[in-house]
Amino acid sequence: MERDRAQPYGRCAPPHDRGGFCLTETALYWLVLLARLRRTELARDLAELGMYSGQEQVLLQRWDGRGFTQSELAGRVQAAPATITRMLQRMERAGLVRRERGRGTRGGRVFLTERGWAARDAAESLWLRAEERLVANLSGSEYASLRSLLTRLGD
């Protein structure tokens, strides 16, 4: 698809020529709108399981016997350390994670509990259903292209 070289992405004709607010036609606008819509749906589904939005991102990490430090989790889910601290406190009260302090070390490591593993399975199912809703109208090749483009945009 060749785009008009005279008009860069996100740029519009002068207001008197365009008859509307063209920033609503930008890729960023649609990405934000779509992300908000799908995030709201996912948050509703998580709430039905007694989970809060964002917790699934912690649960869906590739857990192993070593667990994670809070700062590792913060980096993986792109959240502020204070946000992760509050989230983990809530998840610990719900029995989803346990924290273990290391001897002579500051901080500690976070591990999923048995209940956390079950919640992870449920969160994974919800995530996959949300993914299916998101891409329901795409062919396999369109889906592959979308994933490739989104990956490139994230670099």
Side-chain angles (χ1 to χ4, degrees):
M1 177 174 114
E2 177 139 347
R3 76 178 176 89
D4 181 9
R5 298 273 178 220
Q7 205 69 315
Y9 287 117
R11 301 286 181 183
C12 304
H16 55 78
D17 292 344
R18 64 181 165 183
F21 190 64
C22 85
L23 293 179
T24 60
E25 298 169 14
T26 63
L28 179 60
Y29 178 85
W30 285 103
L31 281 171
V32 169
L33 193 67
L34 186 58
R36 187 181 313 129
L37 170 69
R38 296 304 181 205
R39 189 76 190 137
T40 300
E41 290 173 353
L42 186 59
R44 183 196 60 234
D45 293 344
L46 289 167
E48 290 176 8
L49 296 176
M51 286 189 268
Y52 293 90
S53 184
Q55 289 179 344
E56 85 287 356
Q57 292 180 27
V58 170
L59 291 172
L60 294 175
Q61 296 305 308
R62 291 186 182 190
W63 290 87
D64 60 22
R66 295 173 303 187
F68 293 104
T69 65
Q70 285 188 205
S71 61
E72 287 170 339
L73 285 172
R76 286 173 172 263
V77 301
Q78 298 293 299
T83 301
I84 287 294
T85 297
R86 286 189 305 275
M87 184 183 299
L88 291 175
Q89 288 169 344
R90 184 176 268 173
M91 292 175 79
E92 192 172 28
R93 283 192 304 270
L96 301 174
V97 298
R98 74 178 194 287
R99 292 191 268 189
E100 293 180 4
R101 296 266 180 220
R103 283 196 181 130
T105 60
R106 188 169 170 242
R109 299 195 76 77
V110 180
F111 300 89
L112 288 184
T113 63
E114 190 173 318
R115 186 173 181 179
W117 282 105
R120 184 188 191 284
D121 289 343
E124 188 174 274
S125 293
L126 288 178
W127 194 273
L128 292 173
R129 274 201 336 242
E131 176 84 354
E132 288 170 3
R133 286 191 306 258
L134 175 68
V135 299
N137 294 324
L138 299 180
S139 69
S141 62
E142 288 171 330
Y143 178 67
S145 294
L146 175 64
R147 288 187 55 189
S148 176
L149 288 169
L150 289 171
T151 301
R152 282 181 37 209
L153 290 173
D155 290 341

